[in-house]
């Protein structure tokens, strides 16, 4: 840092938005009580089975870790690295889109927020089905190959090599919108006054970026990276649906490989693979902790001075139109496929206009299917119970962790570290011990609810922690009513945590498959079963996927304003 930098930061005031330390407030034992439910679920459902997996992996000595000598294992772990690297690509695409949209205006920005975030609430199973349709090798069915076929060339997009492109595009399409939201808000709230002062004192551009812009974006970037990392670490159903059976081994990560082969590997070697996968994800989650450990403050967006560079701004806006169209195209493919006659979808693509082939037969079959409608109802009830349990545990825990005067500093920092690690923990790390211990005791349905809640709680705590830390509590509300005040002011983040829990559980396939709870009454598992004969059942499958997607999409639309505030600022301001 140059000599000018210290003076610069002396000139510009820093506003401490943290709750002031006071002798009043909860006692330490009561604060610990607020953490109890979250700690019990995390310890009983995640940490204890994780420890059991580590013990099993060491039961035969280091020999179990010789599983790394297996070429298939190494390929699966290498694939996991590729998927985790895609999390960085998601953040880069989200930042690029946010940079293009930084001067788009309130109306266009609002439209983009809706369009780009909708894929995040779609089941990865549905995403895999959509992109498999778009890139079908047969030019009569796949729109991309139909376009290329006009030039006399067809590409085996679902074959070796190209399959990574298809699934990578699917993954980025699904998750880049969340990163866009976070970075768009962060760019709007950059400390403009501080940048102007820096220019006035002659601070060069590169030093301004590293001294002001990078620290201001560190917290939002860490949040975007953590969300993308969690999605990448748990890639499972996207591969099962998006890749043909013969190609899945080429792109499956360590988690999916573990599910297929843990019986063949044996208990010790399978446990060693789960531990190695957890270490890999944990190491890559450390940058998120580095960004989140500081307090993320969001100032109010500064009024931008009128710019003379209207031309470049207009050109940037023109780029946003094809982006919006590309993001909406997969939804159009799914809906149009579901509206065609079931036999027509098996032989031709949705763009082939034959009006006599457009009908609602696939939807009629879906609503007439008692198994599908039953799974829809059961999944809805189960998901709502999980949301209630997550909020009941995460809200008081986040409140305690966000207010440093309630717990010693040496306590809440390690707890945040554990929360970040658990948020990205692959379920394979605790699947076997958990299946053997909890299911016989509480039954399959209650076990599924408990595991889903335990998996979501760490992520919910992190989201709520960032918001609650920004709530200033008046002295008159301290002690008895402080939690109520914090929840009321942090309501957008509470809504975000609830919707996040709903979407993750509603769309989950991994927990049900890993733990076999229950056999097939969770909605995504039923959709996966329908996809065994993909092309012959694509019409009814598309209709069921549309119905399953309408629920979380409607929830996001209804709560959109709260979600955006919860994801960015987190409080009512």
């Amino acid at each position: 840092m140059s000599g000018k930098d210290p003076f610069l930061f002396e000139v510009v005031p820093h506003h401490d938005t943290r709750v002031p330390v006071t002798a009043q407030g909860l006692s330490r034992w009561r604060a610990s009580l607020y953490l109890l439910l979250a700690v019990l679920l995390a310890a009983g459902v995640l940490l204890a089975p994780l420890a059991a997996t580590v013990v099993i992996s060491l039961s035969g000595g280091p020999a179990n870790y010789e599983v790394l000598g297996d070429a298939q294992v190494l390929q699966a772990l290498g694939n996991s690295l590729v998927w985790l690297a895609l999390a960085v690509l998601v953040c880069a695409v989200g930042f690029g889109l946010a940079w293009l949209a930084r001067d788009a205006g309130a109306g266009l920005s609002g439209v983009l927020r809706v369009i780009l975030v909708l894929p995040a609430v779609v089941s990865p199973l549905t995403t895999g089905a959509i992109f498999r349709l778009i890139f079908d090798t047969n030019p009569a069915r796949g729109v991309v190959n139909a376009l290329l076929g006009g030039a006399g060339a067809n590409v085996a997009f679902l074959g070796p090599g190209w399959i990574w492109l298809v699934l990578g595009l699917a993954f980025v399409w699904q998750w880049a919108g969340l990163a866009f939201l976070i970075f768009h808000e962060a760019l709007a709230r950059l400390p403009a006054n501080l940048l102007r002062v820096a220019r006035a004192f002659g601070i060069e551009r590169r030093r301004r970026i590293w001294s002001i812009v990078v620290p201001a974006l560190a917290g939002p970037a860490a949040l975007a990276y953590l969300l993308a990392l969690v999605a990448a670490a748990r890639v499972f159903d996207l591969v099962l649906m998006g890749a043909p059976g013969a190609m899945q081994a080429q792109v499956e990560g360590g988690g999916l490989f573990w599910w297929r082969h843990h019986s063949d590997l044996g208990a010790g070697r399978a446990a060693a693979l789960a531990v190695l996968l957890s270490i890999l994800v944990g190491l890559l989650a450390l940058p998120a902790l580095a960004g989140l450990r500081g307090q993320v403050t969001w100032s109010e967006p500064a009024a931008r001075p009128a710019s003379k560079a209207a031309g470049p701004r207009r050109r940037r806006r023109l780029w946003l139109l094809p982006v919006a169209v590309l993001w909406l195209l997969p939804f159009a493919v799914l809906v149009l496929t579901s509206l065609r006659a079931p036999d027509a979808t098996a032989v031709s693509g949705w763009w082939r206009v034959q009006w006599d082939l457009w009908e609602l037969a696939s939807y009629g079959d879906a609503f007439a299917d008692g198994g599908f409608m039953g799974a829809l109802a059961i999944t809805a009830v189960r998901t709502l119970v999980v949301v209630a349990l997550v909020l009941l545990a995460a809200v008081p825990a986040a409140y305690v962790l966000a207010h440093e005067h309630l717990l010693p500093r040496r306590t809440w920092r390690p707890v945040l570290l554990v929360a970040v690690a658990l948020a990205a923990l692959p379920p394979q790390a605790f699947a076997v011990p958990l299946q053997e211990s909890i299911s016989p005791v509480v039954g399959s349905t209650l076990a599924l609810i408990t595991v889903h809640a335990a998996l979501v709680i760490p992520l919910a705590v992190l989201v709520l922690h960032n918001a609650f830390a920004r709530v200033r509590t008046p002295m008159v509300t301290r002690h008895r009513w402080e939690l109520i005040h914090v929840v009321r002011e942090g309501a957008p983040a509470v809504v975000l945590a609830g919707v996040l829990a709903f979407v993750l559980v509603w769309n989950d396939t991994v927990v049900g498959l890993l733990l076999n709870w229950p056999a097939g009454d969770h909605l995504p598992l039923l959709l996966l079963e329908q996809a065994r004969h993909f092309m012959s059942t694509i019409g009814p499958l598309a209709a069921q996927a549309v119905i399953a997607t309408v629920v979380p999409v409607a929830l996001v639309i209804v709560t959109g304003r709260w979600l955006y505030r919860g994801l960015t600022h987190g409080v009512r301001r």
Side-chain angles (χ1 to χ4, degrees), residues 432-447:
V432 172
L434 198 60
Q435 186 180 23
E436 294 176 350
S437 61
I438 191 172
S439 183
V441 176
V442 299
S444 61
T445 299
L446 184 56

Side-chain angles (χ1 to χ4, degrees), residues 135-293:
F135 289 93
D136 194 292
T137 302
N138 188 337
R141 294 190 303 256
V143 61
V144 176
N145 258 317
L147 295 173
L148 292 175
N154 293 328
V155 180
F157 284 110
L158 301 180
W162 288 101
I163 189 64
W164 273 114
L165 174 66
V166 174
L167 296 184
L169 287 174
F171 184 79
V172 171
W173 174 78
Q174 183 155 36
W175 300 110
L178 280 180
F180 164 80
L181 284 181
I182 297 170
F183 284 118
H184 184 263
E185 182 73 5
L187 289 173
R189 297 176 184 274
L190 280 177
N193 292 334
L194 191 56
L195 287 169
R196 283 196 290 269
V197 172
R199 292 191 196 96
F201 279 90
I203 305 298
E204 60 181 355
R205 180 182 178 86
R206 185 171 61 180
R207 192 172 296 277
R208 290 200 306 268
I209 291 175
W210 283 106
S211 300
I212 302 173
V213 177
V214 171
L217 294 179
L223 179 59
Y225 173 70
L226 180 62
L227 293 174
L229 187 72
V230 170
R234 297 177 183 176
V235 164
F236 198 97
D237 30 6
L238 178 62
V239 174
L240 286 177
M241 182 68 82
M247 286 293 101
Q248 290 179 8
Q250 303 296 318
V251 290
E252 66 182 2
L256 183 52
F257 178 87
W258 183 96
W259 175 66
R260 293 188 193 278
H261 300 286
H262 70 278
S263 297
D264 302 331
L265 291 171
R269 289 161 62 87
L273 176 57
V275 170
L276 290 170
L277 188 62
S278 301
I279 292 173
L280 176 63
V281 175
L283 290 175
L284 291 176
L286 289 178
L289 177 67
L292 290 173
R293 68 181 181 181

Side-chain angles (χ1 to χ4, degrees), residues 144-510:
V144 176
N145 258 317
L147 295 173
L148 292 175
N154 293 328
V155 180
F157 284 110
L158 301 180
W162 288 101
I163 189 64
W164 273 114
L165 174 66
V166 174
L167 296 184
L169 287 174
F171 184 79
V172 171
W173 174 78
Q174 183 155 36
W175 300 110
L178 280 180
F180 164 80
L181 284 181
I182 297 170
F183 284 118
H184 184 263
E185 182 73 5
L187 289 173
R189 297 176 184 274
L190 280 177
N193 292 334
L194 191 56
L195 287 169
R196 283 196 290 269
V197 172
R199 292 191 196 96
F201 279 90
I203 305 298
E204 60 181 355
R205 180 182 178 86
R206 185 171 61 180
R207 192 172 296 277
R208 290 200 306 268
I209 291 175
W210 283 106
S211 300
I212 302 173
V213 177
V214 171
L217 294 179
L223 179 59
Y225 173 70
L226 180 62
L227 293 174
L229 187 72
V230 170
R234 297 177 183 176
V235 164
F236 198 97
D237 30 6
L238 178 62
V239 174
L240 286 177
M241 182 68 82
M247 286 293 101
Q248 290 179 8
Q250 303 296 318
V251 290
E252 66 182 2
L256 183 52
F257 178 87
W258 183 96
W259 175 66
R260 293 188 193 278
H261 300 286
H262 70 278
S263 297
D264 302 331
L265 291 171
R269 289 161 62 87
L273 176 57
V275 170
L276 290 170
L277 188 62
S278 301
I279 292 173
L280 176 63
V281 175
L283 290 175
L284 291 176
L286 289 178
L289 177 67
L292 290 173
R293 68 181 181 181
Q295 197 148 354
V296 184
T297 55
W298 303 78
S299 59
E300 291 301 320
R304 292 184 179 273
S307 173
K308 298 180 181 179
R313 207 165 52 238
R314 192 175 298 112
R315 286 193 294 271
R316 285 199 301 270
R317 290 178 183 177
L318 290 177
W319 275 102
L320 299 175
L321 179 60
V323 168
V325 172
L326 285 174
W327 244 258
L328 288 174
L329 176 61
F331 287 109
V333 170
L334 180 66
V335 173
L336 292 174
T337 300
S338 71
L339 291 174
R340 301 188 74 225
D343 55 344
T345 59
V347 295
S348 62
W350 52 269
W351 65 92
R352 297 181 181 272
V353 180
Q354 293 176 265
W355 298 110
D356 58 325
L357 298 180
W358 294 88
E359 55 183 49
L360 296 175
S362 294
Y363 285 93
D365 293 344
F367 285 110
D369 185 344
F372 174 75
M373 296 306 296
L376 196 67
I378 291 172
T379 303
V381 173
R382 184 181 291 138
T383 302
L384 291 174
V385 173
V386 172
V387 170
L389 185 57
V390 167
L391 294 180
L392 186 63
V395 167
Y399 159 70
V400 171
L401 294 176
H403 295 73
E404 301 176 15
H405 62 284
L406 298 180
L407 284 178
R409 187 180 184 87
R410 64 180 181 274
T411 300
W412 65 268
R413 287 293 191 192
V415 171
L416 279 182
L417 172 62
V418 172
V420 170
L422 291 181
L425 183 69
Q428 293 81 0
F430 55 81
V432 172
L434 198 60
Q435 186 180 23
E436 294 176 350
S437 61
I438 191 172
S439 183
V441 176
V442 299
S444 61
T445 299
L446 184 56
L448 186 62
I449 291 172
T450 305
V451 174
H452 272 140
L455 280 171
V456 178
I457 283 171
L459 194 58
V461 167
L462 291 174
V463 169
L464 292 168
H465 168 267
N466 285 336
F468 288 176
R470 291 190 288 274
V471 176
R472 296 188 64 85
T473 308
M475 294 297 295
V476 296
T477 65
R478 286 194 175 276
H479 190 52
R480 181 169 299 177
W481 308 113
E482 184 178 18
L483 175 58
I484 297 175
H485 172 78
V486 169
V487 171
R488 184 172 63 248
E489 292 300 310
V494 177
V495 173
L496 172 64
V499 173
L500 186 66
F502 186 97
V503 170
L504 289 175
V505 177
W506 180 267
N507 292 330
D508 177 76
T509 307
V510 180

Side-chain angles (χ1 to χ4, degrees), residues 101-142:
R102 67 188 187 277
D103 296 321
L108 182 56
S109 294
V111 172
L112 281 173
R113 286 199 298 266
V114 173
I115 292 174
L116 295 182
V117 79
L118 286 182
V121 304
V122 175
S123 166
L125 281 175
T126 301
T127 300
I130 293 172
F131 278 78
R132 188 167 170 178
L133 280 172
I134 293 174
F135 289 93
D136 194 292
T137 302
N138 188 337
R141 294 190 303 256

